[in-house]
């Protein structure tokens, strides 16, 4: 070969049909091919390469203590134990760290009064007590909306009815403060059983309208009733657990920790219901899967009613404590504004999560109670936050992690598909799971070889093969034919004689003994040279599309 011309040695021997000179492609260094193939063409973005979990060392022959919450089969920590394939040592990973964050958050809330500035102590303590009460209410409400799947908007109606009932009993019959939550739980039981009856037949939007009407009915009745303080704006004078002889700071501190205890009771109730049998039953019958649950023998309707009634008892208990805390109750507990703020707390934090109810309550209370100096602007800010959560987040603030992981996995998949141009036809996950690493390097070499052979294909090379399918060829065409001949038997092209020396057809071999080849096309070739060239064109097309 001289320059870009290939000289056929058969021409000088006088072989028939052998051409003297054939155009050839310019020579390319194999090092250049290697550098171009191994260079990454994909734009690598640092989007969450790996999920890092700290690996705790094993404990030898000792068994890892698995503490479970009392009364449930739920473990405190979700721990995964695996053996490191390199060191063959036992390693433990904490998969779910939410219990740790719960402990740290509650501990910070307990110690917060020690770090409050003196000028804002009373404001912050009052806001903290209000936050705890509303967080307990929202936890019970979350059981109804999230766990039971009942769209009830009458939670504050139950709280208000229990608060008004216990306040009236305390004022007129002299009930002590410690009996008010218990009496309120009884009022919540009665209201819960009454409200739960329509939930058997109504669902979704219609039940929400019914409960809104019930809430408004309670507000109008209390507002027009002289017994419930229509002339004073509410019912006040109930017995309270806060000693009146203490100074203001001590009273605020006692109220802070008392309300914190109510919130802990609400958390315990949520875990007791959501993590046990009732919660597991209702998780089998989410929205649009109720028919499947019913077909498998799950009585999800009874489970929903039980959750609704138990949550109503909890709401009534909180209503009695509400009356003992504020020494009464006002009509604002029934107002539509209170219901909307409660919905904002649930939506911002995320429906179906206890942490969403608590954190959403904290955000709304911080804006509504602490930032009173901003006026109506704080309500607009709450509405904007709620609107942003609904538009851009799928599961509230605590759904950001799952939403980000889904987006990151999508980007990682896109990046890995682009990285396949660099590493051959085997993706990184497949490469790590393949035990025979020779297969990985063979695919990588095959990828490089295909990329090089694509540059060899030209109209002159195809014309050369058409003129002489068999025999000696130029170096580029010989490279290409050798690659085609080394292809595996699976789906390898061949020719079959329909009529000897007259008609031929292209088939694809199965690569399995006893399985006949399949016909690729219906075209009939009149000679073997035409059939060989047809096979060559098909192989070239597959190579260019690979």
């Amino acid at each position: 070969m001289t320059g870009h011309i290939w000289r056929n040695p058969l021409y000088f021997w006088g072989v028939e049909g052998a051409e003297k000179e054939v155009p050839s492609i310019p020579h390319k260094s194999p090092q250049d091919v290697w550098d171009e193939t191994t260079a990454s063409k994909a734009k690598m973005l640092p989007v969450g390469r790996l999920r890092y979990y700290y690996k705790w060392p094993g404990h030898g022959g000792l068994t890892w203590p698995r503490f479970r919450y009392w009364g449930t089969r739920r473990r405190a920590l979700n721990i995964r134990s695996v053996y490191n394939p390199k060191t063959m040592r036992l390693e433990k990973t904490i998969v779910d760290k939410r219990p740790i964050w719960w402990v740290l958050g509650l501990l910070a809330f307990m110690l917060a009064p020690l770090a409050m500035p003196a000028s804002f102590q009373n404001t912050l303590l009052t806001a903290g007590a209000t936050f705890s009460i509303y967080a307990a209410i929202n936890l019970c409400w979350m059981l109804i909306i999230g766990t039971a799947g009942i769209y009830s908007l009458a939670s504050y109606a139950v709280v208000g009815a229990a608060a008004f009932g216990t306040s009236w009993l305390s004022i007129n019959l002299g009930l002590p403060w410690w009996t008010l939550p218990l009496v309120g739980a009884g009022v919540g039981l009665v209201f819960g059983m009454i409200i739960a009856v329509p939930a058997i037949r109504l669902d979704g939007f219609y039940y929400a309208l019914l409960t809104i009407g019930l809430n408004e009915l309670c507000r109008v009745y209390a507002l027009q009733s002289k017994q419930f303080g229509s002339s004073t704006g509410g019912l006040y004078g109930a017995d309270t657990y806060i000693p009146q002889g203490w100074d203001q700071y001590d009273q605020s501190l006692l109220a802070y920790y008392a309300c914190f205890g109510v919130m802990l009771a609400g958390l315990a109730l949520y875990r007791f219901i959501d993590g046990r049998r009732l919660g597991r039953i209702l998780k089998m019958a989410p929205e649009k899967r109720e028919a499947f649950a019913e077909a498998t023998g799950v009585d999800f309707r009874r489970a929903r009613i039980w959750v609704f009634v138990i949550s109503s008892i909890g709401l009534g208990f909180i209503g009695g404590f509400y009356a003992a805390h504020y020494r009464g109750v006002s009509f604002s507990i029934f107002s539509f504004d209170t219901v909307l703020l409660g919905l904002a707390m649930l939506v911002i934090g995320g429906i179906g999560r206890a942490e969403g109810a608590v954190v959403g309550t904290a955000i709304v209370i911080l804006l509504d109670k602490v930032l009173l100096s901003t006026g109506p602007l704080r309500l607009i800010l709450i509405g904007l936050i709620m609107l942003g959560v609904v538009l851009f987040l799928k599961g509230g603030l605590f759904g950001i992690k799952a939403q980000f992981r889904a987006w990151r996995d999508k980007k990682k998949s896109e990046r890995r598909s682009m990285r396949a141009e660099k590493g051959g036809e085997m993706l990184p996950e497949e490469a790590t799971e393949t035990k025979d690493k020779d297969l990985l390097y063979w695919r990588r070499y095959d990828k490089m070889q295909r990329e090089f052979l694509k540059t060899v294909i030209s109209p002159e090379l195809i014309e050369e093969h058409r003129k002489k399918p068999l025999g000696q060829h130029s170096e580029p065409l010989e490279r290409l034919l050798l690659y085609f001949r080394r292809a595996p038997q699976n789906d390898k092209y061949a020719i079959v004689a329909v009529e000897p020396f007259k008609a031929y057809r292209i088939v694809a071999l199965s690569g399995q003994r006893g399985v006949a080849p399949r016909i690729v096309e219906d075209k009939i070739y009149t000679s073997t040279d035409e059939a060989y060239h047809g096979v060559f064109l098909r192989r070239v097309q597959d190579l260019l599309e690979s």
Side-chain angles (χ1 to χ4, degrees), residues 192-242:
M193 295 178 66
I194 295 174
I195 303 174
V197 173
I200 301 175
R201 303 298 300 271
L202 296 178
D203 196 6
F205 176 72
Y206 297 101
Y207 190 77
L209 287 179
L210 175 66
T211 51
I212 287 178
L214 179 62
N215 190 84
E216 185 65 15
L217 178 64
C218 293
R219 186 188 69 84
V220 173
Y221 177 79
L223 186 63
Q224 296 180 358
S225 176
K226 295 181 179 180
Q227 294 179 343
F228 291 140
S230 59
S231 59
T232 58
L235 197 59
Y236 297 100
D239 191 24
T240 180
Y241 63 91
I242 302 175

Side-chain angles (χ1 to χ4, degrees), residues 220-352:
V220 173
Y221 177 79
L223 186 63
Q224 296 180 358
S225 176
K226 295 181 179 180
Q227 294 179 343
F228 291 140
S230 59
S231 59
T232 58
L235 197 59
Y236 297 100
D239 191 24
T240 180
Y241 63 91
I242 302 175
Q244 300 302 311
W246 291 12
D247 59 9
Q248 186 176 3
Y249 174 76
D250 293 336
Q251 290 181 358
S252 300
L253 191 63
L254 176 61
Y256 180 88
Y257 284 112
C259 295
F260 177 68
V262 173
M263 185 181 70
L264 290 181
L267 279 172
L269 179 64
Y270 184 90
R271 294 300 179 191
F272 186 77
I273 299 299
D274 189 70
R276 295 199 67 185
R277 185 174 181 273
L278 285 175
R280 291 196 297 269
I281 287 176
L282 293 172
K283 287 175 184 177
M284 291 181 60
E287 188 177 3
K288 299 180 180 179
R289 289 186 60 187
E290 296 175 348
F292 169 77
E294 193 169 6
T296 56
V298 176
D299 193 355
F300 66 92
R301 298 183 187 277
R302 178 179 295 180
R304 281 182 174 179
I305 299 302
W306 270 110
V307 172
F308 190 91
V309 171
I310 294 173
S311 302
S312 299
I313 293 174
L315 291 171
F317 183 90
I318 298 170
F321 178 83
Y322 186 97
H325 177 77
Y326 290 106
R327 300 196 65 186
V329 60
S330 66
F331 301 132
S332 62
I333 192 69
F334 293 123
S335 67
F336 193 63
D337 298 339
T338 304
V339 176
L340 289 181
L341 284 178
L343 278 176
M345 296 172 189
L346 298 184
V347 171
I348 291 174
I351 294 178

Side-chain angles (χ1 to χ4, degrees), residues 19 81 93 99 114 231 321 340 351 379 398 443 478 491 544:
E19 299 183 2
S81 300
T93 301
L114 302 178
S231 59
F321 178 83
L340 289 181
I351 294 178
L379 300 178
F398 282 90
R443 288 197 182 185
E478 197 68 31
D491 287 336
L544 293 176

Side-chain angles (χ1 to χ4, degrees), residues 90-161:
L90 184 63
E91 294 179 346
K92 295 180 175 64
T93 301
I94 302 176
V95 180
D96 189 1
K97 300 182 178 65
R98 285 183 298 174
I100 299 176
W101 300 121
W102 270 111
V103 172
L104 293 178
L106 295 177
L107 186 61
F109 191 81
M110 288 181 60
L111 301 178
L114 302 178
M116 291 179 181
S119 57
F120 293 98
Q121 274 184 345
N122 290 328
T123 302
L124 294 178
L125 289 175
T126 303
T130 305
F131 154 73
S132 297
I133 292 177
Y134 279 91
I137 295 173
N138 289 331
L139 285 169
C140 296
W141 197 4
M142 188 71 76
L143 283 174
I144 298 174
I145 294 182
T147 303
I150 300 176
Y151 297 98
S152 172
L153 301 180
S155 297
Y156 284 91
V158 177
V159 175

Side-chain angles (χ1 to χ4, degrees), residues 398-416:
F398 282 90
I400 294 177
K401 185 177 180 181
Q403 189 173 348
F404 171 74
R405 281 185 174 177
W407 173 81
R408 180 179 61 181
D409 292 341
K410 177 184 176 182
K411 293 298 180 181
K412 286 166 69 175
S413 300
E414 294 175 357
R415 188 172 71 249
R416 286 165 186 161

